Amino acid sequence: MTKRKNTLDTKSEAGKAFLVGVQIRNIPSRPANAKLSLDASMDELELLCKTAGLEVVGRTTQNLDSPNPNTFIGPGKVEELITWRDATDFDVVVFDDELSPRHQRELEEMLGDKTQVLDRTGLILDIFAQHASTREGALQVELALYEYRLPRLTRQWTHLSRQGGGGAGRSGSGGVGLRGPGETQLEIDRRRIGERISKLKRDLEDVRAQRAQHRKQRKKNEAPVVAIVGYTNAGKSTLLNAIAKADVLAEDKLFATLDPTTRRVRLPRGHNVLFTDTVGFIQKLPTQLVAAFRATLEEIVEADALLHVVDITHPNAVEQFETVMETLKELGAGDRQMVVALNKMDKFGAAEWGTLAQTLPGLMSEGVPVSAMNKTGLTDLLSEVEATLFERLIPIRVRLPYKAGDLMALLRREGAVELEVPEERSVLITGRIPGRLMDIFAGYIAKADEAAKA
């Protein structure tokens, strides 16, 4: 069977990878969450390759004022790649930035039929495809893959109608009688991928609706939800296992788990809270993944609070923290209440920890030191979560209709009522509530001028 170009099957066919990084001076399109230096980003790319099952045999970088319109890198660097290919016999080149379809096509033609060209987006998509274990995860990854592949289709692709398992060939249209007058195989492939994308989006909308129903039920039961977020491999799954006595897969790999896992945890003062482990973030997170994983990422946006896990031992801990914060802003979750867990504290002695407090004062002052592996510092962490959810109250002034007796009862039970002013059809209540309840009362906030008149 001949190798199909522009696919992402690195696990079974590609063994040796060569990495290429480019520093573009003053590029306006640089992602907001690209915080790492070029060297650090290349180190991360190497870890991604290892996670995908690739052996990295070399790397090279280049500084450019702007990308080459044909090959992204300069002609001399392409010649250097050819020399490296002959010396190391690599079969895949992985770029640290996202390439256009033209860049990939031109590079593969210059490097030869036996060399595949991938970018960071394609590599991450491949890792996600390997690790998706639930139907929801598989749907999300397949959608992202097809949206990535569609503009990259060439006549060098094997016909999709001959593919087995889980591709556009299973879109429900069958393989016979599809070729219209004068329609090429490439056009058929594009049409089938388009049909499959539409089907996947409909399926994911069903998933989204189910998740919304589950969230509505949780809010009805007044069970607060804390979404565990953080940079990939920061220790989120290990922390969930530690605080909930769970058995979530936790490996020393990037993106070891993709599918959200929720566990109920009893906090020190007796409150029950649902903790949800979510997919790890990474710099230059592909836009296709953000769109495809919307149903999962909504768990973050809709959470009552966030538990941000930081690998404090990582040399780029601050940059990783900032990357996560930028991504949360992009998702619309930048204003969520947050508790920061400084994970892997067991790796430091007292003197080293004191040095960190001086070199990383901002991060160290707002975080709670923990070791998910050794299960130390967890009581302090859960107490901080409990205080954030239940004890730190936010001022509020709401106008509640008399028929909203359930909301009045909730405010009195969970918050603190300072003043009630009866009106003809409603009650104007001034008081304080936990931040986790703000979304519930958002539609009843009384305007300042109305409150003054009252």
Side-chain angles (χ1 to χ4, degrees):
M1 180 177 178
T2 59
K3 178 182 175 181
R4 186 178 69 220
K5 302 192 71 172
N6 289 335
T7 64
L8 306 175
D9 190 12
T10 58
K11 188 174 182 180
S12 60
E13 294 185 2
K16 297 181 179 180
F18 193 91
L19 312 185
V20 180
V22 177
Q23 183 70 57
I24 305 295
R25 302 183 183 96
N26 302 319
I27 183 169
S29 59
R30 181 174 173 82
N33 65 7
K35 299 292 183 181
L36 303 183
S37 67
L38 179 58
D39 287 341
S41 188
M42 292 292 285
D43 290 342
E44 184 175 90
L45 186 66
E46 183 167 348
L47 286 175
L48 287 168
C49 286
K50 291 179 179 178
T51 300
L54 295 169
E55 175 191 358
V56 176
V57 296
R59 66 164 71 175
T60 187
T61 60
Q62 184 176 34
N63 294 318
L64 293 173
D65 290 326
S66 60
N68 184 291
N70 296 320
T71 55
F72 193 75
I73 53 177
K77 187 61 68 172
V78 175
E79 292 298 323
E80 181 184 325
L81 276 181
I82 294 174
T83 301
W84 276 109
R85 181 203 59 196
D86 296 338
T88 63
D89 197 31
F90 63 73
D91 36 27
V92 58
V93 178
V94 184
F95 281 72
D96 192 40
D97 291 286
E98 185 166 342
L99 301 177
S100 70
R102 180 181 182 181
H103 290 147
Q104 282 187 292
R105 182 171 61 251
E106 295 285 346
L107 285 166
E108 288 192 332
E109 287 181 0
M110 298 181 75
L111 291 170
D113 290 341
K114 294 184 179 180
T115 304
Q116 183 181 11
V117 176
L118 281 180
D119 56 15
R120 176 183 269 254
T121 296
L123 182 64
I124 292 175
L125 289 173
D126 177 68
I127 294 170
F128 273 49
Q130 292 181 29
H131 291 179
S133 58
T134 67
R135 178 176 177 272
E136 178 187 351
L139 287 173
Q140 292 173 133
V141 170
E142 188 179 354
L143 174 60
L145 279 168
Y146 277 132
E147 290 185 329
Y148 175 80
R149 287 172 172 173
L150 185 58
R152 291 166 170 78
L153 275 183
T154 71
R155 289 180 177 84
Q156 295 167 324
W157 276 52
T158 302
H159 295 341
L160 292 174
S161 58
R162 298 176 189 169
Q163 290 185 27
R170 280 213 332 243
S171 61
S173 301
V176 180
L178 290 177
R179 189 186 297 269
E183 190 175 24
T184 66
Q185 184 62 49
L186 182 59
E187 290 168 339
I188 292 174
D189 289 348
R190 283 176 176 154
R191 175 163 55 78
R192 286 185 172 176
I193 286 185
E195 292 171 353
R196 184 61 180 167
I197 286 174
S198 297
K199 174 66 164 56
L200 289 167
K201 285 183 176 179
R202 290 194 299 271
D203 290 345
L204 282 171
E205 280 301 316
D206 292 340
V207 172
R208 188 185 182 201
Q210 292 171 6
R211 282 196 175 278
Q213 186 62 36
H214 291 160
R215 282 194 298 269
K216 183 178 179 180
Q217 186 63 37
R218 288 201 301 255
K219 286 192 178 290
K220 184 178 179 181
N221 294 334
E222 299 173 21
V225 176
V226 177
I228 304 177
V229 300
Y231 210 79
T232 184
N233 210 30
K236 299 183 304 301
S237 297
T238 303
L239 183 59
L240 180 59
N241 286 338
I243 64 178
K245 299 179 177 61
D247 55 357
V248 181
L249 175 65
E251 293 183 294
D252 188 20
K253 290 183 179 180
L254 304 185
F255 302 118
T257 54
L258 299 181
D259 303 296
T261 302
T262 300
R263 295 289 185 270
R264 183 178 294 273
V265 176
R266 190 173 181 84
L267 299 181
R269 295 178 182 83
H271 295 98
N272 287 316
V273 172
L274 298 176
F275 282 83
T276 297
D277 188 17
T278 61
V279 62
F281 295 156
I282 195 169
Q283 77 157 358
K284 306 177 187 176
L285 190 68
T287 55
Q288 293 95 332
L289 281 180
V290 174
F293 276 72
R294 182 177 56 159
T296 301
L297 295 175
E298 280 181 351
E299 292 293 312
I300 296 173
V301 178
E302 298 291 338
D304 297 296
L306 305 179
L307 176 56
H308 185 168
V309 183
V310 180
D311 177 1
I312 198 62
T313 68
H314 199 284
N316 300 115
V318 172
E319 290 80 4
Q320 290 185 351
F321 176 84
E322 292 174 349
T323 294
V324 173
M325 296 303 294
E326 287 288 347
T327 305
L328 289 172
K329 287 181 182 178
E330 293 174 12
L331 295 174
D335 60 346
R336 298 286 89 176
Q337 297 182 102
M338 180 180 296
V339 175
V340 178
L342 304 177
N343 193 26
K344 307 184 184 181
M345 62 174 289
D346 55 293
K347 303 294 184 181
F348 295 106
E352 294 172 306
W353 195 257
T355 301
L356 276 178
Q358 296 177 354
T359 57
L360 306 175
L363 195 57
M364 296 293 290
S365 63
E366 61 181 290
V368 180
V370 300
S371 171
M373 185 65 68
N374 291 351
K375 301 181 180 180
T376 55
L378 300 185
T379 300
D380 290 341
L381 179 66
L382 293 178
S383 294
E384 183 67 17
V385 170
E386 195 163 33
T388 299
L389 286 172
F390 298 97
E391 298 171 12
R392 292 176 188 146
L393 304 181
I394 299 173
I396 193 173
R397 181 182 285 112
V398 292
R399 178 171 279 107
L400 298 178
Y402 287 114
K403 62 181 180 180
D406 55 337
L407 294 181
M408 295 181 191
L410 177 63
L411 196 156
R412 293 177 184 126
R413 182 172 65 253
E414 298 289 340
V417 174
E418 298 168 355
L419 179 65
E420 292 189 25
V421 179
E423 299 175 341
E424 184 177 351
R425 294 190 177 91
S426 59
V427 179
L428 182 64
I429 301 179
T430 302
R432 292 174 295 139
I433 61 171
R436 64 185 175 83
L437 300 180
M438 283 298 294
D439 288 346
I440 297 177
F441 289 94
Y444 301 94
I445 300 295
K447 296 180 181 179
D449 56 345
E450 293 178 352
K453 291 177 183 179

